[in-house]
Amino acid sequence: MDNDSLHALSHSLDLLKDTYNYNHWIYSLLREHLGETICEVGAGTGNLTQFFLPARSVLCIEPESQYGDVLRRLAQVHLNLQVFAGGLEDCAAQGGRAAAFDTVVCVNVLEHIAGYFKKVVTPDEKVELRELVEHYRAGLVPLIVPVTLLAHY
């Protein structure tokens, strides 16, 4: 991720860490679907991770090293928390980890991925991607639709 994108993302995460009610609201939408073994992809600085800690085990996958540092400090006091520094594909290459989870959580990841492509896609393609993400949120299309479009870029 380039420095400008990373700075913007860091600023957003810093703002969200102080919005307990917002993070708890997101968690409340997920709570009934969570199992005892959770993998959080793109965990950031742990704004949602804190709510997953009652689970038997939690793995946070985070590609940005400074966010991983924050998560590792949290893992020092929560022995059921593991942190993987890298992307999902790197974690999968380690073998067998994904099969160990009954819940995989990705919150706001599509928006971050879209930001990564901001210098690659045209304004019309950005609108198309944003619309597909909104259609996914509304339950109108399956996740594979915006993901396939991203793979095209």
Side-chain angles (χ1 to χ4, degrees):
M1 187 176 298
D2 65 43
N3 283 338
D4 289 341
S5 297
L6 186 58
H7 177 72
L9 180 56
S10 295
H11 180 69
S12 296
L13 288 170
D14 283 343
L15 290 174
L16 289 175
K17 76 178 179 189
D18 295 327
T19 57
Y20 177 89
N21 289 340
Y22 172 74
N23 293 317
H24 190 268
W25 172 74
I26 291 175
Y27 166 70
S28 73
L29 297 174
L30 301 172
R31 181 178 30 224
E32 70 181 79
H33 306 288
L34 297 174
E36 283 298 310
T37 55
I38 299 172
C39 177
E40 183 181 12
V41 180
T45 55
N47 291 335
L48 289 173
T49 307
Q50 62 183 321
F51 300 109
F52 305 148
L53 293 173
R56 185 167 28 95
S57 69
V58 179
L59 171 66
C60 291
I61 300 175
E62 178 51 54
E64 298 301 332
S65 61
Q66 70 248 35
Y67 302 155
D69 292 342
V70 173
L71 292 167
R72 276 186 284 288
R73 285 193 295 277
L74 187 60
Q76 289 175 348
V77 294
H78 295 279
L79 300 181
N80 63 326
L81 176 62
Q82 295 180 330
V83 178
F84 182 84
L88 182 59
E89 65 283 350
D90 302 318
C91 188
Q94 296 262 321
R97 286 186 183 229
F101 297 96
D102 54 28
T103 309
V104 177
V105 177
C106 302
V107 176
N108 295 327
V109 172
L110 289 175
E111 288 82 355
H112 298 311
I113 291 171
Y116 175 79
F117 285 103
K118 71 180 179 184
K119 295 179 182 176
V120 178
V121 298
T122 67
D124 288 341
E125 291 169 330
K126 288 178 194 176
V127 169
E128 179 184 27
L129 180 57
R130 194 172 302 117
E131 286 174 355
L132 284 176
V133 169
E134 290 304 318
H135 289 340
Y136 165 69
R137 283 184 178 158
L140 302 174
V141 298
L143 179 60
I144 192 66
V145 174
V147 170
T148 301
L149 184 60
L150 286 170
H152 172 73
Y153 298 139

